Amino acid sequence: MIGIRHGKTIAVVIGLAAFTSFGVNSAMSDPPPAPSGGPYSSSAHGSSVNGVDRSTIDASYSVFAKGNCSHCHEQHASLEGAEPAPISLNNLPSPALGFAAEQDLCFECHDASGPAPAAADVETQFNSLTYKHGKAGAFDYMETYDNRHQPKEQTSVDFSALDRHAECADCHNPHKATKANPLLGASGITVTNGAGWAEPSYSATTAEVSSERDQYKVCFKCHSGWAGYGAGTNQGVEFNPGNRGFHGAGASGARSYPMTMGTFNMTYVYKMMPRYKNDPNYDSDAELRDAPMICSDCHGYNDGDPQGVHGSNLAKILKVPVGSNYTAWNNTITYASNSTTIWCFNCHSSTFAGTGFAVSGGTNLHTNKHDGDLCMDCHVKVPHGWNERPRLVKPYNLAGGYARYQGTSASTGIATTVANWRASGNWTESSAGSPHQNCTNN
């Protein structure tokens, strides 16, 4: 429609993306029904109360109400006689008619100056943190592969080879995401697991996810065998619940070896997994052992906002709660009964209280025999999952294609087989088999 403002004629175009359909009458003899509000109007961006609003960046956008599509997209309208130019990389037209290229469009609002709230300042995380999502060494998938993301990408081909990319919209659907569920509407893949340490079967195309529990479906687009996992490890294989040991951040399924022992660090575990903080169903060690996990329980910046796997000052984008000294993650950190640095202790008790690795009578072999040894002498370096032994314990003389899991060296680990695995609390010094890793306190 045409309107007059300050003596100038302007064309105002209704935000089409805000509606699911216009439902034009087939006979065309009656006026079309009123537009029907779609998912966008319920999203964080589309809210008419606190949705996207660029008028504080450019006063000419005050003509558009909060949540209007035109704060992000050019819709062939003139603003005070000026025609905004929706361009992308190398001055090419933006396929989505956005006012900037991909992440740059998001960062126009999600930066230190707003207008997005400070708790949503994602650009500062990407610029200031040492390790960033989508960046491997000097190679930045976000910047280098600008314009590779497409609105309708659905197959593994869209994420592989030269189409590999990591854009905001790969993890977030800006038209559906809400503050309570920033993953709502993001694309993910369906996983069907079989035997342990085997490639699961994947859906051929992506589908929208609805729950934060489905976060792994989003991550597996790049971190599993679906489109190739690059220089990392195959997390589709690692998180298979058919493995003898795994952290439960992948597809659901019955554990091969139920978790019956171990205690948690109640000071920080609820900061690592904040959704369980006031949940009476997860307020004990036994309940936390079976708590469904998501990738961002371990990966991210800290327990503050903005949350998410955007970046960290620790390698592997590891998350550390505010106030925690447990920041060390590498294969040279030794366990000590008074350890104050090992990252795993953000969730797990540093005293190994209630450990299953104990002799009859309860003597704790972690503290009694391994005080001063390297954690990764016995446990795999990548703690996503493992099938050779329960509890992420690696075999002695690990060889073959498992160098990524060795941690210290192939000549460390335990020789005992699964067939000879002792029940929790019923180990002896010889239970690990011979030879096994060189314990400093044997």
Side-chain angles (χ1 to χ4, degrees):
M1 60 183 175
I2 303 298
I4 304 295
R5 186 161 89 79
H6 298 313
K8 296 182 180 179
T9 301
I10 60 173
V12 180
V13 178
I14 296 174
L16 302 183
F19 308 108
T20 52
S21 66
F22 281 82
V24 179
N25 186 286
S26 58
M28 297 300 292
S29 57
D30 299 317
S36 173
Y40 179 71
S41 61
S42 301
S43 71
H45 286 145
S47 167
S48 60
V49 176
N50 54 14
V52 61
D53 181 3
R54 284 163 48 97
S55 60
T56 57
I57 298 176
D58 185 337
S60 62
Y61 284 88
S62 61
V63 68
F64 298 116
K66 287 183 179 180
N68 193 285
C69 308
S70 297
H71 287 295
C72 295
H73 302 283
E74 159 65 277
Q75 297 182 43
H76 311 294
S78 295
L79 301 176
E80 292 292 337
E83 186 72 18
I87 60 173
S88 189
L89 193 66
N90 298 323
N91 291 323
L92 295 175
S94 166
L97 296 179
F99 290 118
E102 297 176 334
Q103 73 278 356
D104 293 333
L105 176 60
C106 302
F107 290 165
E108 284 197 33
C109 293
H110 289 271
D111 62 1
S113 59
D121 176 12
V122 178
E123 185 183 34
T124 296
Q125 286 191 335
F126 275 105
N127 288 341
S128 63
L129 298 176
T130 306
Y131 300 94
K132 304 170 179 62
H133 192 198
K135 187 169 184 178
F139 194 87
D140 191 329
Y141 283 95
M142 179 179 282
E143 295 288 350
T144 304
Y145 284 174
D146 263 337
N147 289 333
R148 302 299 169 91
H149 173 81
Q150 297 298 322
K152 290 294 183 180
E153 58 192 13
Q154 290 185 306
T155 69
S156 59
V157 175
D158 297 320
F159 290 88
S160 60
L162 292 180
D163 284 322
R164 197 79 163 178
H165 57 275
E167 296 296 339
C168 305
D170 289 318
C171 301
H172 304 288
N173 185 331
H175 299 133
K176 293 186 177 182
T178 65
K179 291 183 178 180
N181 186 1
L183 290 180
L184 182 63
S187 64
I189 57 173
T190 301
V191 181
T192 303
N193 287 293
W197 209 255
E199 188 82 63
S201 60
Y202 306 104
S203 58
T205 59
T206 62
E208 291 186 358
V209 303
S210 58
S211 168
E212 67 174 353
R213 179 68 183 91
D214 292 332
Q215 188 183 62
Y216 75 94
K217 295 181 179 181
V218 179
C219 301
F220 276 16
K221 289 187 295 183
C222 292
H223 296 284
S224 74
W226 183 69
Y229 46 89
T233 56
N234 189 339
Q235 294 174 20
V237 171
E238 292 169 343
F239 284 113
N240 188 334
N243 291 329
R244 292 184 172 90
F246 69 98
H247 280 95
S252 60
R255 289 180 179 271
S256 297
Y257 281 72
M259 298 297 293
T260 59
M261 306 293 287
T263 56
F264 292 89
N265 179 350
M266 295 300 182
T267 300
Y268 294 125
V269 69
Y270 292 118
K271 290 187 175 183
M272 298 293 282
M273 303 190 294
R275 64 194 175 283
Y276 295 130
K277 182 175 181 179
N278 296 311
D279 189 336
N281 295 311
Y282 296 99
D283 59 4
S284 69
D285 291 320
E287 290 167 338
L288 284 171
R289 291 184 201 119
D290 289 324
M293 297 180 66
I294 57 178
C295 305
S296 57
D297 287 340
C298 293
H299 299 282
Y301 176 43
N302 56 35
D303 55 329
D305 292 321
Q307 296 185 30
V309 192
H310 303 125
S312 170
N313 283 324
L314 294 186
K316 312 303 180 185
I317 313 184
L318 292 176
K319 180 167 68 175
V320 175
V322 173
S324 171
N325 292 318
Y326 298 123
T327 60
W329 177 262
N330 59 53
N331 60 1
T332 64
I333 300 301
T334 58
Y335 167 74
S337 56
N338 61 347
S339 292
T340 59
T341 59
I342 296 175
W343 178 83
C344 302
F345 293 152
N346 284 303
C347 285
H348 299 283
S349 170
S350 62
T351 66
F352 292 97
T355 180
F357 187 46
V359 300
S360 180
T363 300
N364 188 329
L365 292 175
H366 276 117
T367 57
N368 182 260
K369 289 292 182 180
H370 295 276
D371 192 337
D373 289 324
L374 302 176
C375 300
M376 294 178 192
D377 282 341
C378 291
H379 298 278
V380 291
K381 184 179 180 180
V382 183
H384 295 146
W386 187 242
N387 198 46
E388 293 282 344
R389 305 285 190 277
R391 313 302 190 251
L392 303 178
V393 171
K394 68 179 181 180
Y396 180 84
N397 202 23
L398 182 65
Y402 297 109
R404 295 293 299 274
Y405 300 92
Q406 287 174 0
T408 49
S409 71
S411 61
T412 61
I414 68 171
T416 190
T417 64
V418 172
N420 296 323
W421 194 263
R422 297 298 183 97
S424 295
N426 193 31
W427 286 77
T428 65
E429 188 169 344
S430 61
S431 297
S434 182
H436 70 277
Q437 69 104 29
N438 298 318
C439 307
T440 57
N441 292 316
N442 268 356

